[in-house]
Amino acid sequence: MKKAIKLVSFCSLIISGLILVKNIPFGEQRATVYAQDASDNHQPSPTPAPVIIWDKNRPLTWDDFQGPIPENRQEGIDAESVTGVHSDWKIESKCDPIGNSGKVKCTATATNVTAQATFDPNTSWVDPEKKTDKLLKHEQGHFDISVHFARKKKKEMDKVAEKGVTKEGPAADADKLLKEAEDELEAALMKVCDDINAEEDKMQKEYDDQTNHGKDDKEQEKWNKKIENLLK
């Protein structure tokens, strides 16, 4: 019996509904964003704050917005929340002989599947003259939308992981079959991630457009109720 185990990490960053970086390892997340900052002559804090994991008992505060205001900020944008979904999983695979047929059955499965909504304080920013409870509620909405899609992503990835991928063929091709099963499973998981990222991107943009970045009180109240229902 041949066995193999590998760990795959995946992350997508979103700035107030606009995708900035897609499909990057979670450990490279902050370094990638800092590279973006450096191009705008901004330098990261020498002691970056840890990424915040969404918690219903831990709402955002203005102290969490520690990033510099971009020099090329869009007109009418008073704050930006860098939120995203960090997903990872472990792929385990094995090949077993099929009786005395000279063939093997190679199976790849995924375990330890996670999906967490995150907020990066180091690149999220606010105009200090524009801090209001209303704007903070709007920015919390972006984070809450991310957790809705984190939950959806976890549910869909669990379905793919539970099903797994199986390949059969000559024992001499065990290594090839093992890799094919792993690659097919990984591709299926990544497709779930990409599809749901696109759904989130669309909703985040709709949220900003319809509420005019939190300035339209009537539309913001509609979205507050919608997001509350999404999190039930």
Side-chain angles (χ1 to χ4, degrees):
M1 179 175 64
K2 181 182 285 291
K3 286 187 176 182
I5 297 177
K6 65 177 181 178
L7 183 67
V8 176
S9 295
F10 167 79
C11 187
S12 177
L13 290 181
I14 296 175
I15 293 186
S16 292
L18 302 179
I19 290 183
L20 172 65
V21 183
K22 291 179 65 179
N23 300 2
I24 58 174
F26 187 60
E28 297 176 10
Q29 173 177 333
R30 191 171 294 117
T32 303
V33 176
Y34 283 171
Q36 175 79 12
D37 285 345
S39 69
D40 293 332
N41 297 319
H42 295 308
Q43 297 298 322
S45 168
T47 54
V51 168
I52 297 171
I53 305 298
W54 187 92
D55 184 333
K56 66 178 181 179
N57 297 316
R58 201 285 193 198
L60 295 174
T61 71
W62 284 129
D63 289 340
D64 296 322
F65 293 72
Q66 301 177 20
I69 300 175
E71 294 178 359
N72 59 346
R73 64 187 274 195
Q74 289 180 270
E75 184 177 354
I77 306 298
D78 299 325
E80 283 188 330
S81 298
V82 179
T83 70
V85 179
H86 167 219
S87 306
D88 61 36
W89 56 84
K90 181 170 67 175
I91 292 181
E92 299 181 356
S93 56
K94 66 177 181 177
C95 289
D96 294 313
I98 303 176
N100 297 318
S101 65
K103 295 183 177 182
V104 291
K105 180 169 70 173
C106 298
T107 304
T109 57
T111 61
N112 301 340
V113 176
T114 66
Q116 294 180 311
T118 63
F119 176 94
D120 188 355
N122 304 284
T123 50
S124 299
W125 61 269
V126 61
D127 184 331
E129 297 182 357
K130 302 293 185 178
K131 293 181 180 180
T132 64
D133 291 343
K134 183 174 73 172
L135 181 57
L136 183 60
K137 176 68 174 178
H138 174 79
E139 296 305 317
Q140 179 69 50
H142 282 296
F143 201 8
D144 292 344
I145 288 172
S146 285
V147 80
H148 163 67
F149 284 100
R151 292 170 178 175
K152 184 174 183 179
K153 189 178 289 187
K154 174 68 164 64
K155 182 178 179 180
E156 295 302 314
M157 287 194 300
D158 280 344
K159 292 179 183 178
V160 173
E162 183 178 351
K163 182 178 179 181
V165 175
T166 299
K167 299 288 182 178
E168 294 184 7
D173 294 338
D175 288 340
K176 177 184 176 182
L177 295 169
L178 201 66
K179 186 176 187 306
E180 287 178 355
E182 292 172 349
D183 289 348
E184 188 173 320
L185 178 57
E186 185 172 332
L189 289 166
M190 291 299 291
K191 185 178 187 306
V192 170
C193 286
D194 289 341
D195 288 349
I196 294 179
N197 284 346
E199 291 181 34
E200 179 179 3
D201 183 40
K202 182 174 181 292
M203 183 176 288
Q204 295 277 16
K205 287 178 179 178
E206 290 175 348
Y207 178 51
D208 266 340
D209 290 345
Q210 293 177 15
T211 65
N212 189 21
H213 302 279
K215 294 181 173 65
D216 187 322
D217 291 343
K218 184 177 180 180
E219 289 301 317
Q220 183 65 52
E221 184 59 31
K222 289 181 181 178
W223 270 93
N224 290 345
K225 293 178 181 178
K226 179 177 181 177
I227 293 171
E228 182 180 347
N229 288 330
L230 288 175
L231 297 184
K232 288 182 178 178

